[in-house]
Amino acid sequence: MTRKSTNRTEPGSARILLSVLVTEQDVFTLRRQAKILADTIGLDTRDQVRLATALSELGRDLLRPTAMTAAFTLRHEPPELQVTLAWPDDRVPSEESLSAVTRLLPRTVYDPAEQSTDRLSGRSSLGGRPSLGARPSLGSRSSLGGRITLTHPLRTAVPDPTAVQEALSAGLPATAIDDLQAQTRDLLAALQEAHAQRDELERLNEELSETNAGVMALYAELTVEHKEVVERFAEEHELALALQRTFLPAELPDTPGVELAVRYLPAAATAEIGGDFYEAVHTPNGLLLAVGDVVGHSLQAAMVMGQLRHALRAYAAQGHPPHRLLEHLDHLLQLHQPGWTATVCIVLLESGNRRLHVANAGHLPPLIITPGGPAAYLTEHGPLLGLHLPQPVATAHDITPGTRLLMITDGLVEVRNIDLDNRMRALTAAVLAGPPDPEGLCDALLTEFGKEPDDDIIVFAAHFHALDPVKR
């Protein structure tokens, strides 16, 4: 939902746009508006992507059924763009999102929801330390609501607000597919720039290795250039990871009798981004949980991952059984991404929380833990996706209240020169000895197995309880 506005908020400034965010589609629209507005006021392509990515990251992180607003304001002295996200309740941005956005736009200020703020310390009665970028208030107040203000300087004079609004009206695409394609283009541009910088660094390193002691002056000059290139590559890699996160689900669904928790840990900062993904969505047949991995580590792998994950949601909404979903995804790879392969494991929980259906296309097997009983891997599986081979019908497993399920990607357990079976047995022992709740279990497994990973890691845990008869 969008409201255009040219009301003066204070002398020397003009509000251009006020957007109301309630649904994920509103966040898509906000991202497009930010790109168009940034282009119209003269920001370069990289800064356009930074602003759009920062707003998308915060919008998805803070999205709740209660409306949140995003106000775009142009200030003339000094010339700058301000975007303020505001909400009327006590929602709090995650430290991960706030840190990522602050790295992209350093002039980011977070004013948290407070109750009776102390005059001297600026510490809220809600407890905890002040959040990144927070400014303590003078005096106390008793109200709920918070806001985040992002400020970007302008290199040129502020354009006519009417021209900016006309550009916004003319430039908005109409569909979610357009949003996905726009994010993919941004990810491609960011990684291409990062790779170009890295290639330049490698070339300079080779040149320096051949330089003899007689050219020390040139060596000193190139050392300064190296530092700038390394800093630029790290900056662009951070932007690429922030964009990659927009391909993953914004939140897990709320399901009666089911506790869910997930952790996604990208590989080391020097590695390529990967194609790991997860999904949790309600379907006509029950709750669908999935974990997958596109084979390879590159920009293209991340793009294929985004296509598979969105296609899985669309096919699942049509009520296909798990093995048919895998066959549809296999056909999609054959048609649009020939030569690419992927592993995907799908677990469908029937309504009533009494039976699981498992269809596995070459992925690591899920681990099921029965209450008071053993833990076992469900090893039935079919071929990789992308080979155009039929998938076997899903296997059914009856479960009892208290049953737990763990799904992972191979980055958690695969280590060079260590037998995979030994690592899988160690994982089983860690699960049996770890916390029973999904959140605690995910954290414990990352602590034990996820130190400086060479590959992306996904840990997806579920705990199934008996349904309250009233809620069935």
Side-chain angles (χ1 to χ4, degrees), residues 274-296:
D276 291 17
F277 70 97
Y278 63 91
E279 186 56 270
V281 62
H282 292 293
T283 76
N285 299 322
L287 175 66
L288 183 143
L289 309 177
V291 172
D293 185 6
V294 175
V295 177

Side-chain angles (χ1 to χ4, degrees), residues 295-319:
V295 177
H297 298 86
S298 65
L299 167 64
Q300 186 67 20
M303 294 167 59
V304 174
M305 174 270 284
Q307 294 174 8
L308 281 181
R309 185 238 153 184
H310 284 81
L312 176 59
R313 286 184 69 91
Y315 292 143
Q318 298 172 1

